[in-house]
Amino acid sequence: MNAVAMRPAVPADSEFCFQLHKAAMGHYVAAIWGWDDEDQRAYHDRGFEPDRWQVITVDGVDAGALVVEYRETEVYLGRIELHPHYQGRGIGARLIQSLIDTAAQRGQHLILDVLAINTRAHAFYRRHGFREVARHGENNRKIRMRFTAGRPTSEDR
């Protein structure tokens, strides 16, 4: 079993996080919008706030990024990305389970959005008990998913 840990992001992690996004999500972005390095870098620069991001490490090596918002009524998973080299090893499952546990302790739903084209991630979240609750964005490109601890509500069916 790999040692998975989190560390706060620092400004110097910006390039790592950009390259991670390109490796983990670039083909999905390219399929929807086309990948333009300059546009994607500008988008990344606008959204990278080190005080809100965490770097996922595996055996002491930077392997991914996580952004979680603890809102008044829900826990929102804004981003979870693992470099493809680290995918399929159960690391994402461990991180998701930890977030599920945190949301349950808070008595809140765990919410996330996934690109509809990312069928692998959609199936991953369904296997972990998330349910689709809405589609949104241009041409319904995003799927809103929710995990509800305990018994499903009528909204989850």
Side-chain angles (χ1 to χ4, degrees), residues 4 9 13 16 20 23-24 30 36-37 42 57 64 73 82 86 92 106 125 131 137 142 147 151-152 156:
V4 178
D13 290 317
F16 165 76
L20 167 68
D36 178 282
D37 230 40
T57 64
T73 61
L82 283 171
Y86 293 96
R106 295 169 61 98
Y125 294 126
R131 298 293 172 254
K142 294 182 182 180
F147 181 91
R151 298 176 61 210
D156 294 324

Side-chain angles (χ1 to χ4, degrees), residues 32-43:
I32 297 170
W33 298 284
W35 184 276
D36 178 282
D37 230 40
E38 195 173 305
D39 288 345
Q40 289 302 315
R41 187 167 294 282
Y43 178 78

Side-chain angles (χ1 to χ4, degrees), residues 18-34:
F18 175 75
Q19 294 300 328
L20 167 68
H21 181 69
K22 189 174 185 177
M25 297 296 295
H27 58 285
Y28 298 116
V29 172
I32 297 170
W33 298 284

Side-chain angles (χ1 to χ4, degrees), residues 99-112:
L99 289 170
I100 287 170
D101 293 346
T102 297
Q105 290 169 357
R106 295 169 61 98
Q108 297 177 324
H109 298 294
L110 177 56
I111 306 291
L112 59 85

Side-chain angles (χ1 to χ4, degrees), residues 6-7 9 17 20 50 52-56 64-68 70 77-82 95-96 99:
M6 309 295 277
R7 67 170 178 78
C17 290
L20 167 68
R52 295 183 52 235
W53 289 51
Q54 295 181 73
V55 174
I56 302 163
L66 182 74
V67 178
V68 180
Y70 297 94
L77 175 56
R79 177 181 301 238
I80 183 170
E81 292 179 351
L82 283 171
L95 295 169
I96 289 298
L99 289 170

